[in-house]
Structures are given as C-alpha cells and as structure tokens.
Amino acid sequence: MQEINNTLVVVGVQWGDEGKGKMTDYLGQKADVVVRYQGGNNAGHTITFGGNKYALQSIPSGVFNPHIKNVMANGMVINPKAAIGELEGLKQRGITDFQLFISDRAAVIMPYHIELDGAYEALKGGKQIGTTKKGIGPAYCDKYSRVGIRIGDLIDPEYFAERLRDALTQKNVELRALGLEEMDFDTLYKEFLAYGEVLRPYICDTSILLNKEIEEGKKVLFEGAQGVMLCIENGTYPFVTSSSPTAASVPLGAGVAPRYINRALGICKAYTTRVGAGPFPTELEGELADYIRERGHEYGTVTGRPRRVGYLDAVGLRHACRISGINYLSIMLFDVLTGVETLKICTGYELDGKVIDYVPATLSALERCKPIYIEMEGWKEEIEDVRDFDALPAAAKAYLRKIEELTNTEIAVVSVGPDRTQTIMIKDIDTISTR
Ligand code: GDP
Ligand code: IMO
Ligand code: MG
C-alpha cells in the first residue's frame, strides 16, 4: 500500500482564534491543496501579507495563492449567500485568480437556521452559549436529522423543490411554535436556486478530487476551524460548536481514507483566549487581561466581541494534543507577551481538594477546577523582528521549552506577528510533512 506523507492537518488546540488562518496561509505557500473540512462561517481566519489584511469565514485560506486548489469539503456547513459575498469581497480587493471547489455533499445553512440559532439562544435564559448566530448548530442538527439541504441539491431544481418542501414542513412548525414568522417556499426556492447558479462552476465531488491529489503526492493542507476545546465530542460541552475541529474528523469531513491522515500541527496561542461563554479555568481579569487584549487585538473577527483572556493551560493543551494526535505545535502571538513580568502556566487542576491532570467531562466539575500554576520569568524586549529561535530572549526560549516539556510535544513554529514574514521556523515545512 502506498505510504502517505504529504498531508498535514492544521488544528486549533484551544478555543479557536489561535492563528490558524495565518499558519494555513504561511504553510500554504508550499502546498498544492487547502481544504476546509468542518464548521462554516462561524470561523474568522485572518491573513496578513504585503501590507494587506484579509478575514475569511468560509473560504479556505489558500485562496491568495493562484496555484492552490481550495476545497470546501462535505463536512462543512455553507451559507451560500455569505460565501458568494466573501468571493465578491475578495474580487473587489483584486483577488480574482483563485481555484475553488465546493463539495456537492456539503450542508447548506438556510435562513431558518439563523433564525433558530438566535431563538434557541434567547430561550437559554442566562445560559447562552454565545454562538456566532450564523445558524451553525441548527444546520448540523438538520443534517443529522436528515432534513438538511445539500449544496448539490441547489443545482438540481426538481429535487431541490422536493427537499425544500419537506424541510419547510418541519421547520415552519418549529418557527411557529417559537413565535417566529414562517418561511415562504417560493421566495426561498428562487433565492437559493440563484445561489446554486452562481456557485455551479465550483460544485463537484471533492472526495474524488482530494483522493487523486493525495495519491499523486500533492501536498494537501487541511485547515481546521474553531479548536479542540470547542469540539462537539471532546470540548467543554455544552459550550462548544456543533462540529469536531480535530484531525480525527478530516477523513469523514473530507471523504478521504483515515490512513491518508497522519500528521497534525497544533496551532496554539502563547496564552489563552475564549470568545463566547463557557468554563475557562485560567481566565484573567483586570490589568494584565487588558494589557494582553490590547497588545493582541483580542476582539472577535466575526462578531467584534472582546475575547476573554487567560494564562496558558497545559492541562487543556495535553487534552487537545492527545485527542488530535498533534505531532508539532505552532506557538502564535508570542510577541504579545513582551512586557508581562511574570508568566504563569497551568500544570494541573485542583478539583474538590484533589489534584488532577486531565480535563473533566462535566461542566460542573470543570467549573469547580482551580488552576495550579508554575511561574516563569517574562521578558521586556520586543521580538516582532526576530526570525531565528536563538535570537529570542533567554526567558522567551525558556517559556517555549517549558511548553514542550508540559505538553510532551515539540514546537515547530513560533509566530511573532500577524504578517506572513513574522514567522520563526524551527522545523522546516518539508520536515513536518515527511515525519
Ligand atoms: P484563527 O481563527 O485561528 O485563524 O485566528 P484569528 O484570525 O481569528 O485570530 C488571530 C489573530 O491574531 C488575527 O488577528 C491575526 O492577524 C493575529 N495574529 C496571528 N499570529 C499572530 C502573531 O504571531 N502575533 C500577533 N501579534 N498577531 C497574530
Ligand atoms: P475560528 O475558526 C472562536 C464559538 C462561539 C461560541 C461557540 C458556539 O475563527 O477559530 P457556533 O456559532 O459555532 O455555534 O458558536 O463556539 N466559536 C468560535 N470561537 N473562534 C471560532 O472560529 C469560533 N467558531 C465558533 O463564540 O462560543
Ligand atoms: Mg478566528
């Protein structure tokens, strides 16, 4: 059997916004294919190069390299209107030369999903998840309860009519029960057929394409959205998203064999952030949180919400590295920590008087966990222009070595600024892709 060493999964190992967009774009320069395999436009991936900043939500981050095939695979939930809007936005900024392939099996986010997302949140009375209100949860629910519309349906008018009628029969009951306005078949039908026509040139069986690329030895990068702690299976349930952002969901979400996926790069902020509600054992408040939030511009790409900020949590990282089989870590936003006098890293939790070194399953237990910290000396030097690991301040190197020790995972990349060029490669991409 052919040995595969040309695929790599980019996985967020915290609660999202770790810098996956930056790393996908950076690594993508040497890749042939970039694939989004889960999530939808709840993601906000920022890419900065040549003095320009771009924010992508559902379009893969390889779109700036004309030689890259960008794939939106079957595991995604796609809002066609939003995706078309993103493409328009890119075109207006001169990004016209790109290759895009959208899976005919990907789920469609419909307007009633967005309505229901808001309505379910409103009903939670103080226990809101703080979703992005993009309809993600309701769209995945419909997929699993088998009333979902798929991208391929939009270019098959008769079949789409049947699917939409069936879906609306059910959805209008729900909308009515929630006191919301019912949705009209004719209006939705016309609108979504039109989106289908715009997207038609991109729609195909992306599983066939991806397997061919992999078997031909092309370099394929899988771009995770969200992060392992937001995983529906392994995250801080119920404060999670509705898909699995782990490397394990690549085979299913992209239609490739599990044996083709054997390398994952964990994208990890040098500290921790979380946007939306839910447990966050190492959360900080006050001056230090504000200092980090301002230096790191920690405001949501999608919603503009200020992100919650905290110390690095090695317990969470070990959990994420185990679940996603992380081979190497990429430490992001390292420059933000300059000027913090004492850095703390959480090495364990105290739960009901006992020390534990794992993430407990229940929310009630996780909420009772108190972080146990080690302290590390900070550094004062700005590091955004450093391009060589050895040139980093001694305290910065010690902090990185400590992360490796606590997670038992080597660091391959250190990012010292948002720009493509502000990247310290410790292990070359080719080393990563052939390990
Ligand atoms: P993603 O969702 O994982 O792609 O991350 P986001 O794009 O939502 O958030 C990461 C933010 O950090 C973006 O504003 C990036 O431009 C920025 N960023 C990425 N890497 C670095 C870095 O090393 N230093 C600094 N200062 N900013 C970074
Ligand atoms: P990227 O790919 C950070 C969070 C939301 C909310 C929870 C559920 O940019 O890292 P959802 O709308 O998915 O039902 O919301 O998940 N969330 C993210 N947080 N980064 C993301 O994506 C996120 N996508 C969803 O804030 O707490
Ligand atoms: Mg983001």
Side-chain angles (χ1 to χ4, degrees), residues 53-125:
K53 183 170 162 176
Y54 302 90
L56 296 173
Q57 299 194 290
S58 54
I59 307 293
S61 297
V63 77
F64 306 101
N65 291 302
H67 74 274
I68 290 182
K69 292 189 168 77
N70 290 279
V71 175
M72 296 165 73
N74 56 281
M76 285 189 78
V77 284
I78 300 173
N79 177 328
K81 184 181 180 183
I84 292 167
E86 271 188 82
L87 292 175
E88 281 304 317
L90 285 170
K91 282 179 193 162
Q92 277 167 15
R93 294 185 65 185
I95 311 296
T96 48
D97 191 10
F98 56 78
Q99 302 181 60
L100 182 65
F101 303 84
I102 305 179
S103 170
D104 44 12
R105 290 178 170 83
V108 178
I109 300 178
M110 299 295 289
Y112 44 79
H113 293 137
I114 297 167
E115 287 285 308
L116 291 171
D117 198 352
Y120 293 152
E121 279 282 270
L123 282 174
K124 288 208 162 91

Side-chain angles (χ1 to χ4, degrees), residues 38-57:
Q38 46 73 230
N41 61 334
N42 48 348
H45 294 182
T46 317
I47 291 115
T48 310
F49 61 91
N52 292 310
K53 183 170 162 176
Y54 302 90
L56 296 173
Q57 299 194 290

Side-chain angles (χ1 to χ4, degrees), residues 12 15-21 36 38-46 56-57 117 121 128-138 140 223-227 230 238-243 273-278 300-303 305 307-308:
W15 280 288
D17 300 328
E18 298 91 346
K20 297 175 294 293
R36 276 281 308 270
Q38 46 73 230
N41 61 334
N42 48 348
H45 294 182
T46 317
L56 296 173
Q57 299 194 290
D117 198 352
E121 279 282 270
Q128 277 86 357
I129 295 170
T131 73
T132 58
K133 300 220 173 89
K134 301 287 180 187
I136 306 296
Y140 275 115
E223 176 182 12
Q226 291 80 52
L230 286 170
F239 292 94
V240 293
T241 190
S242 296
S243 69
T273 60
R274 171 160 208 172
V275 62
T301 318
V302 176
T303 56
R305 292 178 287 181
R307 294 179 184 141
R308 298 157 68 195

Side-chain angles (χ1 to χ4, degrees), residues 12 16-24 42-48 53-56 61 223-226 267 269 271 295-302 307 331-336 384 414-419 422-423:
D17 300 328
E18 298 91 346
K20 297 175 294 293
K22 165 171 172 169
M23 277 318 295
T24 305
N42 48 348
H45 294 182
T46 317
I47 291 115
T48 310
K53 183 170 162 176
Y54 302 90
L56 296 173
S61 297
E223 176 182 12
Q226 291 80 52
I267 312 299
K269 263 183 191 161
Y271 46 97
R295 272 186 71 90
H297 306 290
E298 294 294 358
Y299 296 88
T301 318
V302 176
R307 294 179 184 141
I331 301 298
M332 312 299 291
L333 292 103
F334 198 41
D335 53 302
V336 173
E384 61 194 26
V414 180
S415 174
V416 291
D419 195 82
Q422 292 176 298
T423 312

